[in-house]
Amino acid sequence: ESMALRLENSDGCSGRLQVFYNGSWGSVCSKMITLSTVSLVCKELGCGDGGSLETDLPYGKVSGHTWLDRVECGKRNSSFWQCPSAPWNPQSCSDQQEETHITCNGNAFPTTPVARRVLCFPEMEKIRVVGGEDDCSGRVEVWHRGAWGTVCDDSWDMKDAEVACRQLGCGPAMSALGEAAFGEGMGPIWLQQVVCRGTERSLWDCKVPCGNSGACQHKEDAAVNCSGEAGVSPGPHVSQARACLVHVAAHADPTQRRVRESGGVSVPVVICIVLGALLCLLLTLLAGQVQRTRAQRR
């Protein structure tokens, strides 16, 4: 049920091999690991078609879980998750020298959007927001490799939020929030160091490294507040004022946030109020005209 894989390092294409299982990341032990397994891992992470196993590792007790051991990948396996292994075990090995460290021969930053989509995100991905008042505000989560995961707030700004809101179909972005403004997520952190120009159709078209380096935590989950008005672009003064109000509300106490956000008046509500007032004025004039007509008849 888990298909999250990473090389724990800042570049995402070298480091300790880890899998996500039962709510936490854990290492893969090196017993039975071959270059065929290394090749599958690098391909799956979009880090080239091969690599090498690091063998000069220090002695010491492992920190955290070591979920897998005896992973045996062959030529018939097209994915790391098809390879047979020993059963899940949080203590599959105990020494740091037994952990798998891999250096791939590729780059975590494919040069073009097409290359990034083919190598890193070959399937059609989905996006959602969680924890907000509606479907257009909240913590940003993306669907990848069979699981929902979050986006790290490293380099997260209004350009990135604009693309996320466009992909959600929620109109222009009002604010880009970080530090788990709508609560911490669960599961993998699928995207980090997202760099968008603001004109892309989806986050997958932005500059996004393949894989997860493990440098981000859920307390850094990114979030957005979108206008919720598809195709409507508010003026700069309106955008700044609304973004300021939403930023304050997002960092307030949850019970107070609900009251403050509900206090905002949307454009359709304003139009209804104006039309209602005009209707009342028209009825008043008609009533006065009827009374004058009756008086003249008398």
Side-chain angles (χ1 to χ4, degrees):
E1 73 274 16
S2 176
M3 294 179 65
L5 185 72
R6 75 179 183 186
L7 290 173
E8 189 186 26
N9 200 349
S10 59
D11 63 3
C13 282
S14 65
R16 181 170 55 168
L17 177 62
Q18 291 192 318
V19 294
F20 191 84
Y21 178 70
N22 201 26
S24 63
W25 289 97
S27 301
V28 177
C29 303
S30 59
K31 192 177 294 183
M32 310 296 292
I33 294 287
T34 64
L35 289 179
S36 296
T37 306
V38 172
S39 178
L40 276 181
V41 169
C42 293
K43 288 178 181 177
E44 201 143 328
L45 294 175
C47 293
D49 57 2
S52 60
L53 275 169
E54 302 295 328
T55 56
D56 188 16
L57 302 172
Y59 287 99
K61 188 176 181 180
V62 172
S63 60
H65 297 306
T66 51
W67 283 122
L68 286 178
D69 196 9
R70 297 180 177 274
V71 180
E72 299 181 70
C73 296
K75 294 182 179 179
R76 294 184 178 181
N77 302 123
S78 59
S79 168
F80 178 84
W81 306 105
Q82 296 176 354
C83 304
S85 69
W88 294 106
N89 182 354
Q91 297 173 340
S92 296
C93 53
S94 58
D95 196 283
Q96 291 182 10
Q97 278 209 328
E98 300 177 87
E99 292 181 301
T100 303
H101 287 251
I102 293 174
T103 299
C104 297
N105 60 17
N107 189 345
F109 286 91
T111 55
T112 66
V114 174
R116 277 193 294 275
R117 180 176 286 280
V118 172
L119 292 175
C120 305
F121 314 110
E123 64 221 58
M124 292 299 292
E125 312 289 352
K126 294 179 286 187
I127 185 173
R128 70 180 184 184
V129 285
V130 179
E133 291 296 322
D134 52 35
D135 293 335
C136 290
S137 66
R139 180 178 62 253
V140 179
E141 293 190 353
V142 294
W143 178 265
H144 184 50
R145 292 178 183 166
W148 286 104
T150 60
V151 179
C152 187
D153 66 3
D154 291 347
S155 75
W156 186 255
D157 57 19
M158 282 297 293
K159 292 180 180 179
D160 307 324
E162 191 72 30
V163 175
C165 290
R166 181 178 299 119
Q167 193 173 352
L168 287 164
C170 288
M174 297 194 298
S175 60
L177 305 173
E179 299 180 351
F182 287 93
E184 296 183 10
M186 299 178 63
I189 300 174
W190 282 130
L191 297 180
Q192 57 185 357
Q193 298 174 356
V194 179
V195 179
C196 301
R197 297 188 305 273
T199 57
E200 295 88 349
R201 290 191 299 174
S202 76
L203 292 177
W204 319 113
D205 298 323
C206 302
K207 184 179 179 182
V208 184
C210 300
N212 181 349
S213 68
C216 196
Q217 300 178 14
H218 279 301
K219 64 181 180 181
E220 303 169 81
D221 286 342
V224 294
N225 273 297
C226 309
S227 68
E229 301 157 13
V232 178
S233 299
H237 301 296
V238 176
S239 296
Q240 292 173 8
R242 292 171 73 179
C244 182
L245 288 172
V246 172
H247 181 78
V248 172
H251 288 83
D253 179 76
T255 56
Q256 295 179 359
R257 183 194 308 166
R258 194 172 294 111
V259 174
R260 292 182 185 180
E261 290 183 350
S262 63
V265 181
S266 63
V267 173
V269 173
V270 172
I271 293 174
C272 290
I273 293 172
V274 172
L275 291 176
L278 291 174
L279 182 60
C280 290
L281 180 60
L282 181 60
L283 290 174
T284 302
L285 292 174
L286 287 174
Q289 185 64 33
V290 169
Q291 288 182 354
R292 283 196 295 271
T293 302
R294 287 180 179 177
Q296 288 175 357
R297 285 178 179 176
R298 292 196 202 97

